[in-house]
Amino acid sequence: MLALKTMISSFFQHVQDHRIEVYNEFSLQHELGIYLRERLPQYKVQFERNVSYFSSQSSTIKKEIDISIFTKDYTEKYAIELKCPLKGQYPEQMYSFVKDIKFMEQLKALGFAKTACVALVSDKPFYQGTNNRGIYKFFREEYAVYGNIYKPTGSGKDEESISLSGSYAIDWKDLNAQSKFYIVEIE
């Protein structure tokens, strides 16, 4: 079984050492995919694969997997979701982080060996600030996501929410002076 979190951490070490440059979500997806493909020749590493490719049960919160890693006989499957927000929208992007975690929980339930979510941010409001209520508390104060998390821009009695099955630590790591990242692995 792949040590998914270890491999992603190693990728970020290459970014820190300036051997790989990441400047937006597209570059993060492709550079990480290339990095994994070079190190995992016995696996297929593919981008934007539809869930239906792996399972007829496609009632997932999202339809496309950012990076899929699998054996030719599909006996081992892994999935990675990525976020690299560049234009603010902090509470909405945080909710997208939670949505990715829910998606990875769902894929794990569909038979994926491990799944992971990665967020790379360059704005401090994602990980620190004075408002630590609502969705902010999970990423700035408690550093864990769990339970029912409500969409921050919802209003009224029909508020949208995501219910997570597990509890996942948000361990922000320094990438450089401007950026931090976290890796959440669902085993």
Side-chain angles (χ1 to χ4, degrees):
M1 187 171 295
L2 293 180
L4 205 51
K5 189 172 185 176
T6 301
M7 294 187 81
I8 297 168
S9 294
S10 176
F11 165 78
F12 278 114
Q13 186 60 54
H14 280 72
V15 175
Q16 284 179 319
D17 296 343
H18 304 288
R19 290 183 270 171
I20 297 173
E21 184 178 2
V22 173
Y23 45 88
N24 61 22
E25 190 167 315
F26 186 77
S27 71
L28 174 61
Q29 180 182 26
H30 287 82
E31 293 293 351
L32 178 57
I34 291 165
Y35 178 85
L36 293 170
R37 190 175 283 158
E38 288 172 351
R39 282 151 185 82
L40 301 169
Q42 68 277 31
Y43 291 86
K44 289 188 174 195
V45 177
Q46 297 184 348
F47 305 99
E48 300 298 329
R49 207 28 125 158
N50 195 292
V51 175
S52 64
Y53 182 77
F54 300 102
S55 173
S56 59
Q57 296 177 334
S58 59
S59 60
T60 53
I61 198 166
K62 294 175 75 174
K63 298 298 176 214
E64 305 281 331
I65 304 166
D66 287 341
I67 299 177
S68 304
I69 306 164
F70 55 97
T71 55
K72 290 174 178 52
D73 64 1
Y74 304 98
T75 56
E76 272 186 77
K77 301 176 293 214
Y78 304 88
I80 303 170
E81 279 299 297
L82 306 166
K83 285 287 181 278
C84 186
L86 298 173
K87 294 186 171 99
Q89 299 178 322
Y90 308 111
E92 283 295 325
Q93 289 296 330
M94 290 172 177
Y95 192 72
S96 292
F97 297 166
V98 174
K99 188 174 187 178
D100 282 353
I101 292 170
K102 180 63 178 181
F103 183 40
M104 294 296 97
E105 280 186 340
Q106 291 172 329
L107 292 183
K108 180 74 174 104
L110 290 175
F112 281 70
K114 289 183 183 178
T115 62
C117 295
V118 177
L120 172 62
V121 301
S122 56
D123 293 338
K124 285 184 182 178
F126 284 108
Y127 52 87
Q128 79 182 47
T130 55
N131 177 4
N132 291 328
R133 294 184 314 270
I135 199 162
Y136 292 108
K137 77 176 180 179
F138 298 106
F139 296 92
R140 294 179 177 175
E141 187 174 87
E142 294 182 7
Y143 302 108
V145 292
Y146 55 88
N148 290 326
I149 300 176
Y150 291 89
K151 188 172 183 177
T153 55
S155 61
K157 61 183 175 208
D158 296 327
E159 286 186 85
E160 182 182 330
S161 69
I162 294 172
S163 180
L164 296 175
S165 301
S167 178
Y168 306 98
I170 303 298
D171 184 15
W172 292 106
K173 304 274 188 200
D174 290 330
L175 181 64
N176 54 40
Q178 305 93 317
S179 302
K180 289 186 183 282
F181 70 94
Y182 71 74
I183 305 166
V184 169
E185 186 176 60
I186 292 106
E187 299 185 68

